[in-house]
Amino acid sequence: MTLLIWRGDLNTGIDVIDAQHKRIVEMINQLHTAQMSRSRAQVGEVLEELVDYTLSHFAFEEELLEQAGYPFSSAHKRVHKIFTRRVDEYRMRFRAGEDVADELKSLLSRWLFNHISNDDKAYVETVKNYLNKFVREHEEGGWLSRTMHRFFG
């Protein structure tokens, strides 16, 4: 597998989500680099960090979808849960001594790009509307606006 390259068509237009997705791609590439170093310990460290970061991304995204009132947030969460189980199986196999790096990199890259292109793109309008409303409400004298003004003029 060659290193993954972020494509502009993967951008959702939601900066925080795009930054998290890009970070996952970087970490998949770090897994590849660690594997090339032939250091099982390094592969293990990157693998753990990658899995943990992906899980925290899922939690963030799921909370955002619920807050935004995305009507398919439960289904989106189920997709994450199924994927999480698959990744956990790879983690357990690795911990048991098996070399799963190639399989895991392949799964992660295919799944991530497909998930972003399909499942994540489906919620973009709902989340953008929610975030825009949130910003408007707080620019019009909400606590964040007042606090920022108090501290920073």
Side-chain angles (χ1 to χ4, degrees), residues 134-150:
F134 181 84
V135 167
R136 276 194 314 276
E137 287 174 356
H138 290 86
E139 284 177 344
E140 296 169 0
W143 70 269
L144 180 61
S145 175
R146 289 191 309 270
T147 303
M148 295 296 284
H149 184 70
R150 188 174 332 128

Side-chain angles (χ1 to χ4, degrees), residues 102-116:
D102 281 332
E103 286 178 59
L104 185 58
K105 287 184 310 190
S106 179
L107 169 73
L108 288 169
S109 58
R110 280 191 332 270
W111 189 88
L112 180 67
F113 285 3
N114 183 52
H115 184 68
I116 293 169

Side-chain angles (χ1 to χ4, degrees), residues 32-43:
H32 177 76
T33 302
Q35 184 187 24
M36 294 299 104
S37 75
R38 304 234 190 281
S39 167
R40 181 168 171 78
Q42 190 176 4
V43 168

